[in-house]
DNA sequence: GCTGAAAATAATTCACT
DNA sequence: AGTGAATTATTTTCAGC
């Protein structure tokens, strides 16, 4: 959910703090302060403000899918038939609600949605395709790409 | 980088801890302990072990791209000409080294790579396509999908 | 091996300048 | 925004299972 309240102008201090937190948010505020030439409380205040403004959306641990069952990462391009606002909203909701769907984007181009799905078996994926796609009369077409290697993974944003 | 050293067998405690940390890794260990019926030090030891084993790959802050310049998320399907091991490795390296490339997967299907790119303007994306694709004789074709909405974003894994 | 309890250390938060 | 005190969390040590 993006905060639309403010432009949330960030100064150079904020940007530097963010770039540290995107790599490792367990970095002590004191260490961050030394890196950006600010006291620890000042760093803390800025982090708190950016969290309240929604600049920092979440703080999460990144888990290796392979360690938790033999997980399979799959990309799915989905094309829908009707692109009315209501249909799009409904499709979004269905995709978001599926726990197997890790990331979902509404896109321009030859597809309408791109989904990143994580399952523990192809049988599970097949079941998911039935539930999300075949049983959905508004889905015209979908294409599957199975990831053989997660070459680079990150949610970081250039700051 | 996936740790291949051990199967890293996780018990129910580990899985519960992971599922908490994937939502919010700033949750105090004491609170986690109460949730999973374990003492704070026990929680801490398990987190440390899973971090060393690579089960926990990173701890990161998720930043709203819109807050940091008006960032644009783009998906790119890349098809290469030669799929020799050496060419694949070389392509991987080039994609990984580009800071605009946030996520990169090597996939089966009609494409060979799927990239998730974040740029602050289409001009920047165009420059990137020249650098990564047009100037690379091994790239046969690429397709661009511009994200209009990040419907769901997460790196969490079902545990 | 693992746990939980207590002490020591280090972090964060708050009042004040 | 910085300083220092108070609070809170994390880390280590250690005894017991």
């Amino acid at each position: 959910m993006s905060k639309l309240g403010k432009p949330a102008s960030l100064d150079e201090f904020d940007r530097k703090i963010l770039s540290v937190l995107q790599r490792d948010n367990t970095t002590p505020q004191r260490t961050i302060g030394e890196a950006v030439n600010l006291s620890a409380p000042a760093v803390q205040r800025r982090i708190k403000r950016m969290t309240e403004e929604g600049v920092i959306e979440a703080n999460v641990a990144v888990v290796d899918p392979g360690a938790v069952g033999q997980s399979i990462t799959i990309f799915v391009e989905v094309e829908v038939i009707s692109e009315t606002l209501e249909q799009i909203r409904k499709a979004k909701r269905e995709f978001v609600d599926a726990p197997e769907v890790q990331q979902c984007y509404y896109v321009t181009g030859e597809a309408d949605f791109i989904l990143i799905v994580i399952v523990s078996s192809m049988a599970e994926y097949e079941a998911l395709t039935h539930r999300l796609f075949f049983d959905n009369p508004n889905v015209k077409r979908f294409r599957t790409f199975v990831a053989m290697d997660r070459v680079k993974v990150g949610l970081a944003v250039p700051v």
Side-chain angles (χ1 to χ4, degrees), chain A:
Chain A
M1 222 79 72
S2 298
K3 263 280 178 65
L4 297 169
K6 300 171 185 176
S9 59
L10 306 174
D11 62 15
E12 272 312 301
F13 288 123
D14 292 328
R15 293 194 145 77
K16 286 181 185 173
I17 292 170
L18 283 180
S19 85
V20 172
L21 293 180
Q22 286 191 54
R23 280 197 310 240
D24 182 6
N25 73 347
T26 66
T27 310
Q29 297 173 351
R30 176 183 161 181
T31 306
I32 301 175
E34 290 167 1
V36 305
N37 282 319
L38 227 54
S39 69
V43 172
Q44 194 272 341
R45 279 192 284 263
R46 285 165 181 271
I47 292 175
K48 185 181 178 185
R49 178 176 51 78
M50 291 191 284
T51 301
E52 288 169 349
E53 291 175 350
V55 175
I56 296 173
E57 296 179 336
N59 290 281
V60 301
V62 180
V63 174
D64 176 15
V68 187
Q70 72 279 44
S71 298
I72 303 170
T73 299
I74 297 175
F75 287 79
V76 193
E77 282 178 25
V78 182
E79 197 179 335
V80 295
I81 293 168
S82 151
E83 267 198 82
T84 68
L85 192 60
E86 195 46 47
Q87 297 278 11
I88 294 300
R89 293 173 68 100
K90 193 181 160 197
K92 282 183 183 179
R93 195 158 331 169
E94 279 184 30
F95 297 152
V96 168
D97 287 347
E100 298 92 341
V101 174
Q102 282 309 313
Q103 301 179 38
C104 173
Y105 299 82
Y106 180 49
V107 300
T108 65
E110 294 174 48
D112 298 307
F113 291 95
I114 290 181
L115 274 50
I116 303 180
V117 171
I118 295 185
V119 290
S120 54
S121 68
M122 287 310 289
E124 187 182 344
Y125 177 63
E126 179 151 355
L128 183 72
T129 60
H130 278 84
R131 188 152 51 83
L132 286 185
F133 309 135
F134 290 120
D135 293 350
N136 187 336
N138 198 39
V139 169
K140 185 195 296 181
R141 187 180 66 84
F142 70 95
R143 293 204 300 172
T144 298
F145 301 86
V146 178
M148 293 184 288
D149 188 12
R150 304 199 311 159
V151 179
K152 183 177 184 178
V153 185
L155 282 175
V157 172
V159 290

